[in-house]
Amino acid sequence: MSLSLKLRQGLISLLLFAFLLPGSFIAIERAFYTQLVTNTEQKLEVHLYAILSEIQVSADKVQLSNVALAPDFSRPNSGLSAFITNESDVLWQSDSSITQQFEPELLQLLPGKSDFRADMQYGQKYWVLSIALLFDQGDSTIPLTVHVVQSDHLLNTPHQSFLRTLIRWYLGIALVLLLVMLLAYRWTTRPLSMLDHEIRRVESGKQEQLTGKYPTELMALKEDLNLLLASQNRQKQRYRHHLSDLAHALKTPLAVLNTSPLSEQPELKEQLDRISAMIDHQLKRASSSGQDVWKKQIPLQPLLDKMINALGKIYQHKGCHIVVDCPEDTAFKGDETDMMEILGNLLDNACKACQQQVRLQVSPQPFTLVVEDDGPGIPSARRQQLFQRGTRLDTYKEGHGVGLSIVAELVSSYNGDLEVGDSELGGARFQVRFPDL
């Protein structure tokens, strides 16, 4: 399925809006969180060196002077605590750890090595920086491990605050960006809408050429379309003029022949009538707009009113009743003369054949005409002969047997189809369908 240019641009804009904005939001949030974790590690490292500078070991006991330690290590629920352990026990812990449900792991780290990690205990998350060292005490060394612990809420609080601020900013950015995208979409697609509108006006016959101002990319298309329109109109007019001249040239000697005494002979009169009918047929065919690239929108109801009124007067002696079912605002995308010829022939034949009732139904999508009557109908074996020029299946005196052949050629010129069947009224049913209109 081919998507319109407007829909393609709209989909691309929506995809960019849907992926780039959330993607950039996630990237900024992750970068900020990573920076918070890095800052937490650096902060714990500062506290760790402060603790190392205060450690005093005597008789397997560890003491700290607390001179260089931060006040948070002495304040309960501060979220910051420290522990000093050996290979089997906790030798020292800060006062702030009393209300903290954290038990340091007795790690087996190599001396001088440090470890920064996230640790989950009792449903709480902690950030822990540990370092192993050998404390020199005379002729012996004591292995110690110092742990500095921070509760995750100290990291999570600024993270949540940043998220709320970031969300507010991104909502504002999203609204502004959406407005800019809508304006940009309207601005960039407006020339296409203008071109489409002008083409529709040309099709409906409201203007003859494209006159709008368009971007450079569409100017060449506009000029080519105008050249095509002008060339088609010139060619069509030239073609009609030549045929009109030819018809007039033929009608003059034909009129002379009709006034001759020889024209009273039945055989000659029939041939002269056939020649006259053929001239009229070819003129009507030449004036057909079925092959036009640009077709007008012809309102159907006014044509029907005129035609029904005329047929009612012609067949008043039969008491012919014509029922019309046509939705309002139905239009024929073609030439008015062509529609008059199609409807005129079909309705006239139906009125000739009917007992009293003729029915016309019109459907706009696809444009379909159905003409029915309550006459004797047409045998299925002879229906194909109807559209052969000069063939008549009726016994009426009027006409030369070319009416339905004209209808068939006009319908074919619009890429339509004509079907003959049996009507519910008892007579014939003619259906003309234009799938492209």
Side-chain angles (χ1 to χ4, degrees), residues 246 254 287:
L246 177 61
L254 186 62
S287 65

Side-chain angles (χ1 to χ4, degrees), residues 33-171:
Y33 185 79
T34 301
Q35 187 60 43
L36 284 177
V37 173
T38 302
N39 291 342
T40 298
E41 182 180 7
Q42 294 173 350
K43 176 183 174 182
L44 294 182
E45 187 175 358
V46 171
H47 291 309
L48 180 64
Y49 286 123
I51 292 173
L52 291 178
S53 66
E54 297 292 327
I55 293 179
Q56 296 179 0
V57 180
S58 61
D60 294 334
K61 292 184 179 181
V62 177
Q63 296 178 344
L64 276 76
S65 62
N66 294 334
V67 175
L69 296 183
D72 288 340
F73 288 106
S74 301
R75 188 173 66 250
N77 299 321
S78 65
L80 190 64
S81 61
F83 300 85
I84 299 177
T85 64
N86 58 14
E87 295 177 351
S88 59
D89 197 9
V90 177
L91 302 180
W92 177 89
Q93 63 186 79
S94 64
D95 295 337
S96 59
S97 66
I98 297 175
T99 57
Q100 194 177 50
Q101 294 181 335
F102 181 82
E103 298 177 0
E105 297 182 16
L106 303 178
L107 300 175
Q108 299 295 325
L109 294 176
L110 294 175
K113 297 296 182 180
S114 62
D115 177 56
F116 178 71
R117 66 192 182 278
D119 196 355
M120 290 292 297
Q121 292 191 18
Y122 304 103
Q124 298 292 326
K125 185 177 181 180
Y126 300 93
W127 295 94
V128 184
L129 178 62
S130 303
I131 188 170
L133 54 89
L134 293 175
F135 197 88
D136 188 9
Q137 192 178 23
D139 55 353
S140 63
T141 57
I142 301 175
L144 299 176
T145 303
V146 180
H147 309 272
V148 183
V149 183
Q150 176 181 300
S151 296
D152 184 62
H153 79 270
L154 294 180
L155 183 145
N156 192 53
T157 299
H159 181 231
Q160 293 300 321
S161 176
F162 176 78
L163 273 181
R164 289 191 292 270
T165 303
L166 188 62
I167 289 173
R168 286 195 297 268
W169 272 96
Y170 259 77
L171 286 176

Side-chain angles (χ1 to χ4, degrees), residues 378-431:
I378 301 172
S380 57
R382 305 189 65 188
R383 288 172 184 171
Q384 292 299 323
Q385 301 177 31
L386 285 173
F387 309 114
Q388 297 177 8
R389 187 178 300 116
T391 301
R392 295 181 58 184
L393 304 185
D394 55 56
T395 58
Y396 315 126
K397 296 181 179 179
E398 299 84 357
H400 306 282
V402 296
L404 286 178
S405 66
I406 294 176
V407 172
E409 290 187 8
L410 287 175
V411 172
S412 177
S413 68
Y414 286 92
N415 297 320
D417 52 76
L418 174 60
E419 297 178 0
V420 184
D422 296 322
S423 170
E424 296 177 354
L425 301 179
R429 180 180 186 273
F430 286 81
Q431 175 179 290

Side-chain angles (χ1 to χ4, degrees), residues 6 189-215 218-226 229 293-297 333:
K6 294 181 180 180
T189 59
R190 187 180 179 188
L192 295 176
S193 300
M194 290 174 56
L195 181 62
D196 180 66
H197 177 69
E198 276 209 284
I199 290 176
R200 292 183 183 276
R201 287 181 60 85
V202 171
E203 287 180 342
S204 62
K206 295 180 180 179
Q207 65 184 70
E208 296 183 354
Q209 286 197 326
L210 306 178
T211 58
K213 295 181 179 180
Y214 297 99
L218 297 179
M219 283 301 295
L221 176 62
K222 170 194 168 183
E223 294 173 358
D224 289 343
L225 287 175
N226 283 337
L229 287 170
V293 177
W294 310 98
K295 303 180 178 69
K296 297 180 180 180
Q297 298 282 352
K333 190 178 180 182

